[in-house]
Amino acid sequence: MIKARMFSNSICSYPNRGNYGDNKYRGNCSGYVIKDFIESYLKDQNGLVADPSIGGGTSADVAASLGVRFKGTDLHQGFNLLTDDFSSFLGEKANLIWWHPAYWDMIQYSGSQWGNEPHKWDMSRMKLNEFVESLELAVMNIHDACEVKGHYGILMGNLRRNGDYYNLSSLVERIAPGKLVDEIIKVQHNCISDSRQYSGNIVRIAHEKLLVFRRDASHSLILLSNFHRKAVNMIATTWKAAVRRVLQGKPSMDLNQIYEAIEPFAQFRENVHWRAKVRQVLQDAKYFERLETGVYKLAL
C-alpha cells in the first residue's frame, strides 16, 4: 500500500543505503530515495513502476517491499536501452519510471561490475560525445514508455575530470522532453573519493540531483523539435546580448567597430553570415538607437 508523499522538501539525505539490492554493486544508490520517489509520484496504486537499468537490483527490492507492480531490466540482462524499445519490453505504459544511469565513466560497469569484457553499448565505456548522444536517446526512450500524466525520475550526479567540471545533471534537464516538475538535491554519503587527498582548494562534489519529469503528451521527437525551434529562436537573443555588451559604456560605435569587437563571439557561434546577424539585431529600436547611417548607441 502506497503511503503519503514522502519528499517533504527539495533536499534529501540517506546516510544508510538500507537493505535493498546488492551492496557490493558499485554505484548503487540508497534504496530509500527510490522508496520516497515511488511514494511521492506513483499516483495509481495499480500503475506499473519500471526501471530500464536495475543494476544491483535496488529498485526491484524497493518495489517488492512496497507491494507495487514492477518491471525492470538491464544491459547485463540483455535489454539495451539504446537499441530496444522500452515500451515494447514493458508491454504497457508505465505510470512511473526510475532511472539511475552511469555518471559517464565515473564507474565503468561492463567488464568490471558485470561480464568479462566491456560491452559496446555500455554508456560508462563511451567517449563523452557518444555518452551525451546516448543519454539523449535513452531519455527519449524512457519518456515514450511513460503514460501521459505519468512521471519519470532521473538521478544524475556531476563529476570533475582533469580539473574540468561536467554538469551532467543540467544536461539531463536540457535534453529531457518531459515537463520538469521537481528537482531534488540528494546528499551523497560514503563515496570512495571522500578518502582521497587532492592538491589545491577543491570543492568536493557531495550531491546528486533527482530530476522528476511529467509526460503531458506527444512523442519525444515532436517535443524535441519544439525545443530545437525554441533554441534557434533564443540565438537571436544571445546575439542581441552580445551586441549590447559591446556598446555598454560607449557613446557610440560605427559598424566596423562593432564588427571588430563582436568577431570573437561570432567565431564561437560559427556563423558565416554573422555581420548580417549584427545588422539585423541593431534594428531593434527598443535596445539600439541609430545616430546616423552605420553609427549606433544603446537606447536609453
Side-chain angles (χ1 to χ4, degrees):
M1 182 66 67
I2 301 300
K3 300 177 182 179
R5 180 179 176 89
M6 294 298 296
F7 284 128
S8 59
N9 57 56
S10 61
I11 299 178
C12 63
S13 178
Y14 312 96
N16 299 313
R17 67 180 308 279
N19 296 319
Y20 302 104
D22 181 0
N23 60 11
K24 296 180 181 179
Y25 193 94
R26 284 195 65 197
N28 263 2
C29 67
S30 167
Y32 293 121
V33 67
I34 305 176
K35 179 176 181 290
D36 285 355
F37 172 71
I38 294 175
E39 292 176 340
S40 297
Y41 297 101
L42 184 65
K43 306 306 180 185
D44 180 356
Q45 293 192 8
N46 295 316
L48 178 67
V49 178
D51 182 354
S53 303
I54 61 173
T58 303
S59 59
D61 286 355
V62 172
S65 73
L66 294 174
V68 300
R69 289 203 304 129
F70 176 83
K71 192 165 187 179
T73 186
D74 201 290
L75 186 60
H76 64 64
Q77 292 187 348
F79 177 82
N80 188 344
L81 191 59
L82 304 180
T83 61
D84 302 324
D85 181 58
F86 191 40
S87 182
S88 298
F89 169 82
L90 296 176
E92 62 180 290
K93 297 295 185 183
N95 182 262
L96 188 65
I97 301 177
W98 167 267
W99 193 40
H100 185 201
Y103 301 169
W104 185 22
D105 61 354
M106 180 184 290
I107 299 174
Q108 295 184 325
Y109 288 95
S110 62
S112 176
Q113 298 300 297
W114 58 268
N116 297 320
E117 300 290 337
H119 194 287
K120 174 183 178 180
W121 298 110
D122 178 4
M123 291 174 61
S124 74
R125 293 285 187 174
M126 295 179 176
K127 296 179 180 178
L128 182 58
N129 62 328
E130 297 174 304
F131 174 84
V132 171
E133 183 172 339
S134 296
L135 184 67
E136 186 170 21
L137 175 60
V139 173
M140 287 192 289
N141 199 355
I142 289 169
H143 174 92
D144 293 339
C146 190
E147 67 184 22
V148 175
K149 300 302 181 184
H151 293 78
Y152 55 95
I154 301 174
L155 181 65
M156 178 60 84
N158 303 325
L159 73 155
R160 280 194 176 88
R161 184 72 76 250
N162 299 322
D164 292 326
Y165 189 90
Y166 294 88
N167 197 336
L168 302 179
S169 58
S170 291
L171 176 62
V172 169
E173 182 178 350
R174 182 176 65 83
I175 65 177
K179 179 179 178 61
L180 182 66
V181 295
D182 278 311
E183 177 183 85
I184 297 169
I185 308 300
K186 176 184 172 293
V187 178
Q188 288 183 308
H189 298 277
N190 304 314
C191 299
I192 291 179
S193 61
D194 292 345
S195 61
R196 293 175 180 167
Q197 298 296 320
Y198 298 95
S199 60
N201 297 321
I202 294 178
V203 177
R204 294 176 183 265
I205 300 172
H207 74 283
E208 302 157 287
K209 281 187 180 180
L210 173 57
L211 298 161
V212 183
F213 302 91
R214 182 178 66 235
R215 178 178 179 176
D216 287 341
S218 298
H219 190 279
S220 60
L221 290 177
I222 297 174
L223 290 170
L224 285 177
S225 67
N226 292 336
F227 291 163
H228 175 72
R229 183 172 62 250
K230 291 178 181 178
V232 171
N233 291 338
M234 286 177 65
I235 291 176
T237 304
T238 303
W239 277 98
K240 190 178 297 179
V243 177
R244 290 171 68 188
R245 176 64 187 126
V246 165
L247 286 166
Q248 279 183 322
K250 309 292 195 307
S252 67
M253 295 179 72
D254 62 36
L255 271 176
N256 287 331
Q257 291 172 318
I258 295 173
Y259 291 155
E260 182 179 359
I262 208 74
E263 186 172 9
F265 174 80
Q267 291 176 344
F268 172 76
R269 296 302 310 179
E270 298 180 350
N271 186 337
V272 296
H273 304 295
W274 61 270
R275 289 178 179 82
K277 174 59 71 174
V278 169
R279 293 194 297 272
Q280 177 188 358
V281 164
L282 287 167
Q283 302 310 305
D284 192 331
K286 178 179 179 181
Y287 299 102
F288 307 101
E289 180 181 344
R290 190 177 72 170
L291 301 180
E292 56 183 277
T293 301
V295 179
Y296 298 86
K297 72 170 189 175
L298 286 177
L300 303 179

